[in-house]
Amino acid sequence: MKSLDTFALNKLKPLIEKGLKREILVTERLANGNVIRSGQELISFCCNDYLSLSHHPKLIQAAKDATDRFGTGAGASRLITGNHPLLLELEQRLAQIKGTQDACVFSSGYMANIGIIPTFIGPKDIIFLDELSHACIYAGSSLSEAHCAIFRHNDMAHLQELIDQKRNDYQNALIVTDGVFSMDGDLAPLDILSQLANENECWLMTDDAHGLGVMGDGKGSRHMFSPLPDIPLQMGTLSKAIGSLGGYLCASKPVIDLIKTRSRSLIYTTALPPGNVAAALAALDIIETEPDYCSLPLKNARHFTQLLDLPEPDSPIVPIIIGDTARTMKFAAALEQEGFLVSGIRPPTVPQDTARLRFTFSALHKPQDIKALATTLKKIGVLS
Ligand SMILES: *Cc1c(COP(=O)(O)O)cnc(C)c1O
């Protein structure tokens, strides 16, 4: 056998033993929010398409029109072929929604994070990172070669302690956090974080992948706080509630100018296809004009937790922590048998011994779907 194959098999062996080998199953997503897997139609409680905009007629039409007119691909990096007028419009719209001078769109949220952080932070600097920050924030932080100080999840006293211990040994400092935590659904205390950042000469960056479209009247998690916290680097994605693809940074003009001049994951990669950009613009139209629709995913999540006497959620993401990986995957399989698609989330996506069922609620879920899910969770023994 080839040494490369031997290497791969040896790496996989312990993962298979621990139930950690991943399988990506063929699954079709339908316009009604359901999915088809192995010939069975399931109600999906695991999609980030919170508003089902990826199937909205207006987005589909906008993507078709842009594709007909401008083609399926961007041709090259924007620094080579130039800025598409739709991208300019999208960046202006994002800046307007987030209340910043300017914005930059990347090809995905992951690309945004690995491009933004190393643009501002280097080996002489320090990053203070919430321990539950998304994997691509960790990736961007390690690319920056800065010192990383990880604070306990949402623990502001611990963050203050780390700042007191370390801040002065470094030049520039960045505090990074998710706005809505992707596997836990709770909010970062953005008011306190922005205060700590300002008091200690740190820059604050939030990743609001799960905020735009569903939190704060659709404007994102910053709008859950009053007065609005000062966040100079507001990153997010167009791939979740926006129903398209792409990442973005909203910030001041000098910050965006530096990104467009230096950020490697913007410069050395092909721009988004015009169809995706047009779809994102159509989504922002809907989000800006239909705040009631944007509030439905959170309302549905709260309906679910009420039925089961679980704590009230901050966002449309509701985890039920099981702990053991095998038990979690067994419950996910049982739910599938009963007609529900719910993801079992295992390490390393979440910390050891915190494997969980993660439910995401969408605007399309009907009260009877949520009730049926709650009943099934009791029936299969997830909750008593
Ligand atoms: C999904 C997600 C990303 C990545 O965004 P993509 O556009 O899917 O690459 C980044 N950060 C957080 C918190 C996410 O949940």
Side-chain angles (χ1 to χ4, degrees):
M1 191 177 309
K2 302 235 171 49
S3 72
L4 182 59
D5 293 345
T6 311
F7 174 85
L9 288 170
N10 286 340
K11 285 289 249 196
L12 282 167
K13 197 163 169 271
L15 297 174
I16 293 167
E17 280 161 8
K18 285 185 219 142
L20 293 177
K21 178 170 180 281
R22 312 276 181 122
E23 301 283 348
I24 305 177
L25 301 173
V26 175
T27 311
E28 268 178 63
R29 293 177 57 238
L30 308 177
N32 63 3
N34 293 354
V35 301
I36 298 196
R37 181 178 283 183
S38 314
Q40 193 191 358
E41 184 162 341
L42 307 168
I43 305 177
S44 173
F45 286 95
C46 63
C47 192
N48 300 321
D49 189 9
Y50 297 106
L51 303 170
S52 256
L53 293 185
S54 72
H55 280 88
H56 195 291
K58 284 189 181 158
L59 274 80
I60 293 175
Q61 194 59 49
K64 281 183 180 162
D65 290 348
T67 306
D68 283 344
R69 186 157 169 216
F70 302 116
T72 52
S77 161
R78 294 154 75 184
L79 283 96
I80 305 285
T81 47
N83 218 16
H84 198 285
L86 286 171
L87 270 169
L88 178 65
E89 194 185 333
L90 179 59
E91 289 176 342
Q92 287 171 346
R93 285 290 293 284
L94 286 165
Q96 186 198 336
I97 291 172
K98 294 286 182 177
T100 57
Q101 284 176 334
D102 207 350
C104 179
V105 167
F106 293 77
S107 305
S108 73
Y110 198 109
M111 296 280 248
N113 276 335
I114 64 170
I116 296 163
I117 298 173
T119 301
F120 296 98
I121 289 292
K124 294 186 180 138
D125 304 326
I126 182 165
I127 302 176
F128 298 100
L129 200 60
D130 187 289
E131 65 180 332
L132 295 187
S133 296
H134 193 267
C136 58
I137 296 180
Y138 277 91
S141 300
S142 80
L143 277 175
S144 77
E145 296 177 33
H147 178 72
C148 284
I150 294 164
F151 58 93
R152 285 189 296 273
H153 176 51
N154 276 350
D155 185 337
M156 295 297 102
H158 189 215
L159 171 58
Q160 179 74 67
E161 201 180 302
L162 290 173
I163 290 174
D164 292 344
Q165 275 170 17
K166 298 174 182 253
R167 171 67 189 93
N168 290 339
D169 297 340
Y170 298 88
Q171 246 166 35
N172 295 315
L174 180 71
I175 301 175
V176 197
T177 182
D178 288 19
V180 176
F181 285 87
S182 56
M183 295 299 143
D184 295 73
D186 53 345
L187 287 175
L190 298 178
D191 46 354
I192 306 175
L193 283 162
S194 88
Q195 191 189 335
L196 281 180
N198 286 333
E199 285 169 2
N200 296 283
E201 274 187 68
C202 303
W203 302 322
L204 177 60
M205 171 170 168
T206 56
D207 174 339
D208 211 23
H210 295 274
L212 184 61
V214 286
M215 306 297 293
D217 284 336
K219 295 196 185 79
S221 56
R222 177 168 169 256
H223 284 259
M224 303 296 285
F225 297 85
S226 174
L228 283 181
D230 179 23
I231 306 172
L233 296 161
Q234 301 184 55
M235 173 272 166
T237 178
L238 305 169
S239 328
K240 288 171 180 161
I242 306 299
S244 182
L245 180 69
Y248 63 84
L249 175 67
C250 292
S252 69
K253 178 132 195 340
V255 163
I256 297 299
D257 284 347
L258 184 63
I259 285 282
K260 289 185 174 169
T261 306
R262 272 284 178 264
S263 184
R264 300 178 69 84
S265 62
L266 175 78
I267 297 173
Y268 298 104
T269 197
T270 302
L272 282 175
N276 286 101
V277 182
L281 275 164
L284 295 179
D285 284 340
I286 294 167
I287 287 168
E288 283 193 288
T289 50
E290 299 186 35
D292 289 346
Y293 187 67
C294 293
S295 70
L296 288 177
L298 180 54
K299 280 197 183 125
N300 284 336
R302 290 190 169 157
H303 178 51
F304 173 73
T305 55
Q306 272 157 17
L307 289 173
L308 291 169
D309 283 325
L310 296 170
E312 179 165 279
D314 292 334
S315 77
I317 302 169
V318 181
I320 295 182
I321 312 262
I322 308 294
D324 180 64
T325 296
R327 221 166 103 81
T328 304
M329 300 321 282
K330 205 189 77 200
F331 283 140
L335 282 165
E336 194 172 320
Q337 288 239 309
E338 300 284 337
F340 302 100
L341 187 66
V342 176
S343 30
I345 310 274
R346 312 167 248 193
T349 307
V350 291
Q352 279 303 324
D353 305 317
T354 70
R356 66 198 63 190
L357 296 170
R358 171 181 179 265
F359 304 85
T360 54
F361 290 86
S362 95
L364 289 196
H365 287 135
K366 297 184 215 60
Q368 63 264 31
D369 301 335
I370 297 170
K371 184 128 198 279
L373 174 66
T375 309
T376 305
L377 287 170
K378 287 183 182 166
K379 182 177 126 187
I380 65 173
V382 173
L383 293 165
S384 50

PDB file of all heavy atoms in Angstrom, residues 191-223:
ATOM      1  N   ASP A 191     -21.619  44.775  25.178  1.00  0.00           N
ATOM      2  CA  ASP A 191     -21.491  46.055  25.888  1.00  0.00           C
ATOM      3  C   ASP A 191     -20.235  46.063  26.765  1.00  0.00           C
ATOM      4  O   ASP A 191     -19.425  46.992  26.708  1.00  0.00           O
ATOM      5  CB  ASP A 191     -22.759  46.349  26.710  1.00  0.00           C
ATOM      6  CG  ASP A 191     -23.242  45.139  27.529  1.00  0.00           C
ATOM      7  OD1 ASP A 191     -22.665  44.035  27.385  1.00  0.00           O
ATOM      8  OD2 ASP A 191     -24.180  45.308  28.324  1.00  0.00           O
ATOM      9  N   ILE A 192     -20.050  44.991  27.534  1.00  0.00           N
ATOM     10  CA  ILE A 192     -18.885  44.928  28.426  1.00  0.00           C
ATOM     11  C   ILE A 192     -17.604  44.764  27.605  1.00  0.00           C
ATOM     12  O   ILE A 192     -16.573  45.384  27.894  1.00  0.00           O
ATOM     13  CB  ILE A 192     -19.019  43.764  29.435  1.00  0.00           C
ATOM     14  CG1 ILE A 192     -20.350  43.885  30.176  1.00  0.00           C
ATOM     15  CG2 ILE A 192     -17.843  43.754  30.419  1.00  0.00           C
ATOM     16  CD1 ILE A 192     -20.638  42.727  31.104  1.00  0.00           C
ATOM     17  N   LEU A 193     -17.674  43.953  26.560  1.00  0.00           N
ATOM     18  CA  LEU A 193     -16.480  43.748  25.727  1.00  0.00           C
ATOM     19  C   LEU A 193     -16.016  45.068  25.115  1.00  0.00           C
ATOM     20  O   LEU A 193     -14.818  45.357  25.071  1.00  0.00           O
ATOM     21  CB  LEU A 193     -16.782  42.730  24.625  1.00  0.00           C
ATOM     22  CG  LEU A 193     -16.801  41.275  25.092  1.00  0.00           C
ATOM     23  CD1 LEU A 193     -17.530  40.388  24.095  1.00  0.00           C
ATOM     24  CD2 LEU A 193     -15.371  40.768  25.301  1.00  0.00           C
ATOM     25  N   SER A 194     -16.954  45.879  24.649  1.00  0.00           N
ATOM     26  CA  SER A 194     -16.527  47.119  24.007  1.00  0.00           C
ATOM     27  C   SER A 194     -15.957  48.082  25.045  1.00  0.00           C
ATOM     28  O   SER A 194     -14.985  48.796  24.790  1.00  0.00           O
ATOM     29  CB  SER A 194     -17.649  47.744  23.185  1.00  0.00           C
ATOM     30  OG  SER A 194     -18.433  48.593  23.945  1.00  0.00           O
ATOM     31  N   GLN A 195     -16.517  48.037  26.244  1.00  0.00           N
ATOM     32  CA  GLN A 195     -15.975  48.877  27.313  1.00  0.00           C
ATOM     33  C   GLN A 195     -14.550  48.423  27.684  1.00  0.00           C
ATOM     34  O   GLN A 195     -13.623  49.243  27.763  1.00  0.00           O
ATOM     35  CB  GLN A 195     -16.902  48.773  28.516  1.00  0.00           C
ATOM     36  CG  GLN A 195     -16.634  49.768  29.614  1.00  0.00           C
ATOM     37  CD  GLN A 195     -17.464  49.425  30.856  1.00  0.00           C
ATOM     38  OE1 GLN A 195     -18.518  48.785  30.758  1.00  0.00           O
ATOM     39  NE2 GLN A 195     -16.975  49.842  32.004  1.00  0.00           N
ATOM     40  N   LEU A 196     -14.377  47.106  27.857  1.00  0.00           N
ATOM     41  CA  LEU A 196     -13.039  46.582  28.182  1.00  0.00           C
ATOM     42  C   LEU A 196     -12.038  46.904  27.084  1.00  0.00           C
ATOM     43  O   LEU A 196     -10.878  47.255  27.347  1.00  0.00           O
ATOM     44  CB  LEU A 196     -13.100  45.058  28.365  1.00  0.00           C
ATOM     45  CG  LEU A 196     -13.625  44.542  29.690  1.00  0.00           C
ATOM     46  CD1 LEU A 196     -13.630  43.021  29.703  1.00  0.00           C
ATOM     47  CD2 LEU A 196     -12.764  45.069  30.835  1.00  0.00           C
ATOM     48  N   ALA A 197     -12.476  46.789  25.849  1.00  0.00           N
ATOM     49  CA  ALA A 197     -11.582  47.080  24.727  1.00  0.00           C
ATOM     50  C   ALA A 197     -11.140  48.538  24.780  1.00  0.00           C
ATOM     51  O   ALA A 197      -9.946  48.854  24.681  1.00  0.00           O
ATOM     52  CB  ALA A 197     -12.277  46.764  23.404  1.00  0.00           C
ATOM     53  N   ASN A 198     -12.111  49.430  24.982  1.00  0.00           N
ATOM     54  CA  ASN A 198     -11.777  50.858  24.997  1.00  0.00           C
ATOM     55  C   ASN A 198     -10.868  51.227  26.172  1.00  0.00           C
ATOM     56  O   ASN A 198      -9.943  52.012  26.021  1.00  0.00           O
ATOM     57  CB  ASN A 198     -13.052  51.705  25.021  1.00  0.00           C
ATOM     58  CG  ASN A 198     -13.736  51.692  23.657  1.00  0.00           C
ATOM     59  OD1 ASN A 198     -13.079  51.519  22.626  1.00  0.00           O
ATOM     60  ND2 ASN A 198     -15.042  51.842  23.641  1.00  0.00           N
ATOM     61  N   GLU A 199     -11.122  50.621  27.323  1.00  0.00           N
ATOM     62  CA  GLU A 199     -10.334  50.973  28.520  1.00  0.00           C
ATOM     63  C   GLU A 199      -8.909  50.444  28.455  1.00  0.00           C
ATOM     64  O   GLU A 199      -8.036  50.946  29.144  1.00  0.00           O
ATOM     65  CB  GLU A 199     -11.005  50.371  29.765  1.00  0.00           C
ATOM     66  CG  GLU A 199     -12.248  51.110  30.187  1.00  0.00           C
ATOM     67  CD  GLU A 199     -13.040  50.339  31.254  1.00  0.00           C
ATOM     68  OE1 GLU A 199     -12.577  49.246  31.683  1.00  0.00           O
ATOM     69  OE2 GLU A 199     -14.102  50.835  31.636  1.00  0.00           O
ATOM     70  N   ASN A 200      -8.701  49.388  27.654  1.00  0.00           N
ATOM     71  CA  ASN A 200      -7.390  48.725  27.690  1.00  0.00           C
ATOM     72  C   ASN A 200      -6.648  48.772  26.366  1.00  0.00           C
ATOM     73  O   ASN A 200      -5.775  47.946  26.115  1.00  0.00           O
ATOM     74  CB  ASN A 200      -7.573  47.272  28.131  1.00  0.00           C
ATOM     75  CG  ASN A 200      -8.099  47.167  29.550  1.00  0.00           C
ATOM     76  OD1 ASN A 200      -7.354  47.351  30.508  1.00  0.00           O
ATOM     77  ND2 ASN A 200      -9.381  46.901  29.692  1.00  0.00           N
ATOM     78  N   GLU A 201      -7.020  49.753  25.540  1.00  0.00           N
ATOM     79  CA  GLU A 201      -6.378  49.890  24.237  1.00  0.00           C
ATOM     80  C   GLU A 201      -6.337  48.582  23.464  1.00  0.00           C
ATOM     81  O   GLU A 201      -5.276  48.131  23.019  1.00  0.00           O
ATOM     82  CB  GLU A 201      -4.955  50.426  24.404  1.00  0.00           C
ATOM     83  CG  GLU A 201      -4.930  51.947  24.469  1.00  0.00           C
ATOM     84  CD  GLU A 201      -3.512  52.468  24.455  1.00  0.00           C
ATOM     85  OE1 GLU A 201      -2.857  52.327  23.405  1.00  0.00           O
ATOM     86  OE2 GLU A 201      -3.066  52.979  25.497  1.00  0.00           O
ATOM     87  N   CYS A 202      -7.501  47.970  23.351  1.00  0.00           N
ATOM     88  CA  CYS A 202      -7.631  46.791  22.497  1.00  0.00           C
ATOM     89  C   CYS A 202      -8.634  47.123  21.393  1.00  0.00           C
ATOM     90  O   CYS A 202      -9.549  47.909  21.588  1.00  0.00           O
ATOM     91  CB  CYS A 202      -8.174  45.600  23.284  1.00  0.00           C
ATOM     92  SG  CYS A 202      -7.205  45.129  24.715  1.00  0.00           S
ATOM     93  N   TRP A 203      -8.468  46.499  20.254  1.00  0.00           N
ATOM     94  CA  TRP A 203      -9.472  46.606  19.196  1.00  0.00           C
ATOM     95  C   TRP A 203     -10.453  45.458  19.393  1.00  0.00           C
ATOM     96  O   TRP A 203     -10.050  44.351  19.753  1.00  0.00           O
ATOM     97  CB  TRP A 203      -8.813  46.511  17.817  1.00  0.00           C
ATOM     98  CG  TRP A 203      -7.774  47.551  17.584  1.00  0.00           C
ATOM     99  CD1 TRP A 203      -7.821  48.861  17.987  1.00  0.00           C
ATOM    100  CD2 TRP A 203      -6.522  47.395  16.900  1.00  0.00           C
ATOM    101  NE1 TRP A 203      -6.677  49.519  17.584  1.00  0.00           N
ATOM    102  CE2 TRP A 203      -5.872  48.648  16.912  1.00  0.00           C
ATOM    103  CE3 TRP A 203      -5.892  46.318  16.255  1.00  0.00           C
ATOM    104  CZ2 TRP A 203      -4.619  48.854  16.320  1.00  0.00           C
ATOM    105  CZ3 TRP A 203      -4.651  46.524  15.671  1.00  0.00           C
ATOM    106  CH2 TRP A 203      -4.020  47.775  15.703  1.00  0.00           C
ATOM    107  N   LEU A 204     -11.726  45.722  19.095  1.00  0.00           N
ATOM    108  CA  LEU A 204     -12.739  44.669  19.255  1.00  0.00           C
ATOM    109  C   LEU A 204     -13.245  44.209  17.896  1.00  0.00           C
ATOM    110  O   LEU A 204     -13.591  45.019  17.049  1.00  0.00           O
ATOM    111  CB  LEU A 204     -13.906  45.186  20.106  1.00  0.00           C
ATOM    112  CG  LEU A 204     -15.079  44.207  20.308  1.00  0.00           C
ATOM    113  CD1 LEU A 204     -14.631  42.926  21.009  1.00  0.00           C
ATOM    114  CD2 LEU A 204     -16.205  44.880  21.112  1.00  0.00           C
ATOM    115  N   MET A 205     -13.268  42.887  17.725  1.00  0.00           N
ATOM    116  CA  MET A 205     -13.805  42.301  16.500  1.00  0.00           C
ATOM    117  C   MET A 205     -14.882  41.287  16.860  1.00  0.00           C
ATOM    118  O   MET A 205     -14.671  40.447  17.729  1.00  0.00           O
ATOM    119  CB  MET A 205     -12.681  41.601  15.735  1.00  0.00           C
ATOM    120  CG  MET A 205     -13.171  40.787  14.565  1.00  0.00           C
ATOM    121  SD  MET A 205     -11.773  40.241  13.560  1.00  0.00           S
ATOM    122  CE  MET A 205     -12.610  39.036  12.532  1.00  0.00           C
ATOM    123  N   THR A 206     -16.038  41.392  16.200  1.00  0.00           N
ATOM    124  CA  THR A 206     -17.080  40.388  16.414  1.00  0.00           C
ATOM    125  C   THR A 206     -17.357  39.644  15.116  1.00  0.00           C
ATOM    126  O   THR A 206     -17.288  40.201  14.031  1.00  0.00           O
ATOM    127  CB  THR A 206     -18.406  41.014  16.881  1.00  0.00           C
ATOM    128  OG1 THR A 206     -18.811  42.003  15.941  1.00  0.00           O
ATOM    129  CG2 THR A 206     -18.270  41.615  18.245  1.00  0.00           C
ATOM    130  N   ASP A 207     -17.681  38.371  15.276  1.00  0.00           N
ATOM    131  CA  ASP A 207     -18.091  37.523  14.163  1.00  0.00           C
ATOM    132  C   ASP A 207     -19.583  37.293  14.345  1.00  0.00           C
ATOM    133  O   ASP A 207     -19.996  36.564  15.246  1.00  0.00           O
ATOM    134  CB  ASP A 207     -17.303  36.207  14.231  1.00  0.00           C
ATOM    135  CG  ASP A 207     -17.763  35.192  13.201  1.00  0.00           C
ATOM    136  OD1 ASP A 207     -18.903  35.304  12.711  1.00  0.00           O
ATOM    137  OD2 ASP A 207     -16.979  34.267  12.914  1.00  0.00           O
ATOM    138  N   ASP A 208     -20.369  37.958  13.509  1.00  0.00           N
ATOM    139  CA  ASP A 208     -21.821  37.893  13.688  1.00  0.00           C
ATOM    140  C   ASP A 208     -22.489  37.014  12.634  1.00  0.00           C
ATOM    141  O   ASP A 208     -23.567  37.322  12.132  1.00  0.00           O
ATOM    142  CB  ASP A 208     -22.402  39.316  13.666  1.00  0.00           C
ATOM    143  CG  ASP A 208     -23.641  39.422  14.540  1.00  0.00           C
ATOM    144  OD1 ASP A 208     -23.793  38.601  15.455  1.00  0.00           O
ATOM    145  OD2 ASP A 208     -24.462  40.323  14.293  1.00  0.00           O
ATOM    146  N   ALA A 209     -21.846  35.892  12.353  1.00  0.00           N
ATOM    147  CA  ALA A 209     -22.372  34.963  11.344  1.00  0.00           C
ATOM    148  C   ALA A 209     -23.829  34.577  11.632  1.00  0.00           C
ATOM    149  O   ALA A 209     -24.627  34.433  10.712  1.00  0.00           O
ATOM    150  CB  ALA A 209     -21.503  33.708  11.293  1.00  0.00           C
ATOM    151  N   HIS A 210     -24.159  34.407  12.925  1.00  0.00           N
ATOM    152  CA  HIS A 210     -25.513  33.974  13.272  1.00  0.00           C
ATOM    153  C   HIS A 210     -26.389  35.133  13.743  1.00  0.00           C
ATOM    154  O   HIS A 210     -27.436  34.912  14.352  1.00  0.00           O
ATOM    155  CB  HIS A 210     -25.463  32.879  14.346  1.00  0.00           C
ATOM    156  CG  HIS A 210     -24.817  31.625  13.842  1.00  0.00           C
ATOM    157  ND1 HIS A 210     -25.504  30.656  13.166  1.00  0.00           N
ATOM    158  CD2 HIS A 210     -23.515  31.220  13.872  1.00  0.00           C
ATOM    159  CE1 HIS A 210     -24.675  29.683  12.816  1.00  0.00           C
ATOM    160  NE2 HIS A 210     -23.457  30.007  13.239  1.00  0.00           N
ATOM    161  N   GLY A 211     -25.938  36.362  13.488  1.00  0.00           N
ATOM    162  CA  GLY A 211     -26.706  37.526  13.949  1.00  0.00           C
ATOM    163  C   GLY A 211     -27.469  38.222  12.835  1.00  0.00           C
ATOM    164  O   GLY A 211     -28.676  38.457  12.948  1.00  0.00           O
ATOM    165  N   LEU A 212     -26.766  38.511  11.745  1.00  0.00           N
ATOM    166  CA  LEU A 212     -27.391  39.264  10.653  1.00  0.00           C
ATOM    167  C   LEU A 212     -28.632  38.514  10.151  1.00  0.00           C
ATOM    168  O   LEU A 212     -28.583  37.331   9.858  1.00  0.00           O
ATOM    169  CB  LEU A 212     -26.381  39.444   9.508  1.00  0.00           C
ATOM    170  CG  LEU A 212     -26.861  40.295   8.319  1.00  0.00           C
ATOM    171  CD1 LEU A 212     -27.198  41.721   8.730  1.00  0.00           C
ATOM    172  CD2 LEU A 212     -25.833  40.299   7.194  1.00  0.00           C
ATOM    173  N   GLY A 213     -29.745  39.239  10.082  1.00  0.00           N
ATOM    174  CA  GLY A 213     -30.978  38.631   9.581  1.00  0.00           C
ATOM    175  C   GLY A 213     -31.913  38.122  10.661  1.00  0.00           C
ATOM    176  O   GLY A 213     -33.124  38.077  10.449  1.00  0.00           O
ATOM    177  N   VAL A 214     -31.362  37.740  11.814  1.00  0.00           N
ATOM    178  CA  VAL A 214     -32.235  37.130  12.833  1.00  0.00           C
ATOM    179  C   VAL A 214     -32.187  37.791  14.207  1.00  0.00           C
ATOM    180  O   VAL A 214     -33.060  37.541  15.043  1.00  0.00           O
ATOM    181  CB  VAL A 214     -31.961  35.616  13.009  1.00  0.00           C
ATOM    182  CG1 VAL A 214     -32.512  34.840  11.827  1.00  0.00           C
ATOM    183  CG2 VAL A 214     -30.501  35.310  13.203  1.00  0.00           C
ATOM    184  N   MET A 215     -31.178  38.601  14.472  1.00  0.00           N
ATOM    185  CA  MET A 215     -31.090  39.234  15.788  1.00  0.00           C
ATOM    186  C   MET A 215     -31.257  40.748  15.599  1.00  0.00           C
ATOM    187  O   MET A 215     -30.904  41.293  14.550  1.00  0.00           O
ATOM    188  CB  MET A 215     -29.719  38.978  16.427  1.00  0.00           C
ATOM    189  CG  MET A 215     -29.322  37.506  16.511  1.00  0.00           C
ATOM    190  SD  MET A 215     -30.391  36.512  17.534  1.00  0.00           S
ATOM    191  CE  MET A 215     -30.040  37.202  19.134  1.00  0.00           C
ATOM    192  N   GLY A 216     -31.750  41.412  16.632  1.00  0.00           N
ATOM    193  CA  GLY A 216     -31.811  42.876  16.599  1.00  0.00           C
ATOM    194  C   GLY A 216     -32.513  43.405  15.357  1.00  0.00           C
ATOM    195  O   GLY A 216     -31.925  44.190  14.620  1.00  0.00           O
ATOM    196  N   ASP A 217     -33.752  42.986  15.135  1.00  0.00           N
ATOM    197  CA  ASP A 217     -34.516  43.398  13.938  1.00  0.00           C
ATOM    198  C   ASP A 217     -33.781  43.094  12.639  1.00  0.00           C
ATOM    199  O   ASP A 217     -33.926  43.809  11.645  1.00  0.00           O
ATOM    200  CB  ASP A 217     -34.827  44.912  13.979  1.00  0.00           C
ATOM    201  CG  ASP A 217     -35.949  45.224  14.946  1.00  0.00           C
ATOM    202  OD1 ASP A 217     -36.754  44.323  15.218  1.00  0.00           O
ATOM    203  OD2 ASP A 217     -35.986  46.370  15.435  1.00  0.00           O
ATOM    204  N   GLY A 218     -32.998  42.068  12.647  1.00  0.00           N
ATOM    205  CA  GLY A 218     -32.286  41.656  11.436  1.00  0.00           C
ATOM    206  C   GLY A 218     -30.937  42.332  11.253  1.00  0.00           C
ATOM    207  O   GLY A 218     -30.160  41.943  10.392  1.00  0.00           O
ATOM    208  N   LYS A 219     -30.642  43.336  12.093  1.00  0.00           N
ATOM    209  CA  LYS A 219     -29.381  44.069  11.903  1.00  0.00           C
ATOM    210  C   LYS A 219     -28.194  43.368  12.544  1.00  0.00           C
ATOM    211  O   LYS A 219     -27.044  43.723  12.286  1.00  0.00           O
ATOM    212  CB  LYS A 219     -29.498  45.476  12.476  1.00  0.00           C
ATOM    213  CG  LYS A 219     -30.509  46.356  11.747  1.00  0.00           C
ATOM    214  CD  LYS A 219     -30.273  47.813  12.122  1.00  0.00           C
ATOM    215  CE  LYS A 219     -31.317  48.744  11.533  1.00  0.00           C
ATOM    216  NZ  LYS A 219     -32.579  48.742  12.295  1.00  0.00           N
ATOM    217  N   GLY A 220     -28.469  42.418  13.437  1.00  0.00           N
ATOM    218  CA  GLY A 220     -27.374  41.662  14.044  1.00  0.00           C
ATOM    219  C   GLY A 220     -27.309  41.829  15.539  1.00  0.00           C
ATOM    220  O   GLY A 220     -28.062  42.604  16.141  1.00  0.00           O
ATOM    221  N   SER A 221     -26.384  41.095  16.170  1.00  0.00           N
ATOM    222  CA  SER A 221     -26.371  40.998  17.633  1.00  0.00           C
ATOM    223  C   SER A 221     -26.012  42.324  18.312  1.00  0.00           C
ATOM    224  O   SER A 221     -26.420  42.558  19.438  1.00  0.00           O
ATOM    225  CB  SER A 221     -25.407  39.898  18.081  1.00  0.00           C
ATOM    226  OG  SER A 221     -24.130  40.125  17.563  1.00  0.00           O
ATOM    227  N   ARG A 222     -25.264  43.191  17.624  1.00  0.00           N
ATOM    228  CA  ARG A 222     -24.930  44.487  18.227  1.00  0.00           C
ATOM    229  C   ARG A 222     -26.205  45.254  18.577  1.00  0.00           C
ATOM    230  O   ARG A 222     -26.255  45.998  19.557  1.00  0.00           O
ATOM    231  CB  ARG A 222     -24.060  45.274  17.240  1.00  0.00           C
ATOM    232  CG  ARG A 222     -23.687  46.658  17.691  1.00  0.00           C
ATOM    233  CD  ARG A 222     -22.601  47.226  16.775  1.00  0.00           C
ATOM    234  NE  ARG A 222     -22.394  48.627  16.989  1.00  0.00           N
ATOM    235  CZ  ARG A 222     -22.836  49.597  16.169  1.00  0.00           C
ATOM    236  NH1 ARG A 222     -23.479  49.293  15.053  1.00  0.00           N
ATOM    237  NH2 ARG A 222     -22.611  50.862  16.451  1.00  0.00           N
ATOM    238  N   HIS A 223     -27.233  45.054  17.784  1.00  0.00           N
ATOM    239  CA  HIS A 223     -28.484  45.775  17.996  1.00  0.00           C
ATOM    240  C   HIS A 223     -29.343  45.164  19.101  1.00  0.00           C
ATOM    241  O   HIS A 223     -30.465  45.603  19.328  1.00  0.00           O
ATOM    242  CB  HIS A 223     -29.250  45.901  16.681  1.00  0.00           C
ATOM    243  CG  HIS A 223     -28.646  46.945  15.785  1.00  0.00           C
ATOM    244  ND1 HIS A 223     -29.158  48.209  15.645  1.00  0.00           N
ATOM    245  CD2 HIS A 223     -27.520  46.917  15.036  1.00  0.00           C
ATOM    246  CE1 HIS A 223     -28.400  48.910  14.832  1.00  0.00           C
ATOM    247  NE2 HIS A 223     -27.393  48.149  14.441  1.00  0.00           N
TER     248      HIS A 223
END
